[in-house]
Every structure is written in structure tokens, then in C-alpha cells.
Amino acid sequence: MTTQQPSIEQMKDSMRAPWIAGDFGAIARNIGVPEAESFVARMGLEPGARVLDIACGTGNVTIPLARRGVMVTGLDMTPGLLEEARARTARDGLDIRFDEGFAETLP
């Protein structure tokens, strides 16, 4: 018997499903923010540095980077998390580009 392997699109859909189904944003707000701030501080990046945050979620790392003057782009596969990241960015008056996509399809 031959078993057919799922397509890459089917695998992506199955990876994305749990992130869409739950309220990951609520978890990220309550757990990840202090750790992300500390992580960004340890990076020691200078203003004007350029960073691509892959799997940026709600922007826990992306936003503190932008606050430090880093030119940052966030990439995530989950539209709802990106919406939350964009809303947080707007509230903070930051200029961050957020794109929906997958790391393996970057140019």
C-alpha cells in the first residue's frame, strides 16, 4: 500500500491551524513581553540596524526593536496575530512593516 505524502500547502495549513484556533495574543501579552524586552536589550543593536523578525506573532520582539530605532520587518503566517501586532504598533506610534508569509518563500 502506498501512502500519499501531504502537499506543502497542506502541511502549512496544518501548522497554521493551532495558531488561528486559539487566542495566542492573550498568551503573548501575559507571558512574552518582559522576556522579549530583555532579549532585545541584550542584542545591543544600534539605531538604523535592519532586522527581519520571522514568526513575529503579535510583535513582542518587533516592537521593542522599533522603539530602539531599529528598522524592522515582521513576518508571520497568521493573519490574526499580525492584526494584533499592527494595532499595537499603531498605539505606540511606530513604523513597522508586517507581512503575512512563510520563511521558506522569502525572496
Side-chain angles (χ1 to χ4, degrees):
M1 179 163 79
T2 304
T3 304
Q4 184 177 359
Q5 294 294 325
S7 72
I8 188 73
E9 290 307 316
Q10 290 169 322
M11 288 189 287
K12 287 179 183 180
D13 288 344
S14 69
M15 290 172 20
R16 188 182 337 205
W19 298 103
I20 292 172
D23 188 2
F24 178 75
I27 296 168
R29 283 187 300 276
N30 294 320
I31 296 174
V33 174
E35 291 80 5
E37 294 277 355
S38 175
F39 175 69
V40 167
R42 288 191 309 271
M43 286 183 186
L45 295 171
E46 297 292 325
R50 298 182 67 179
V51 171
L52 173 61
D53 182 3
I54 297 175
C56 68
T58 60
N60 281 2
V61 172
T62 310
I63 291 169
L65 284 167
R67 284 186 191 130
R68 293 173 177 269
V70 173
M71 298 169 41
V72 62
T73 298
L75 176 74
D76 201 274
M77 65 180 179
T78 312
L81 298 181
L82 289 172
E83 287 176 25
E84 187 167 339
R86 288 182 184 110
R88 291 178 63 200
T89 299
R91 280 193 303 270
D92 287 357
L94 299 169
D95 182 25
I96 302 173
R97 176 180 169 171
F98 290 102
D99 293 323
E100 182 181 344
F102 293 86
E104 71 272 12
T105 59
L106 288 170

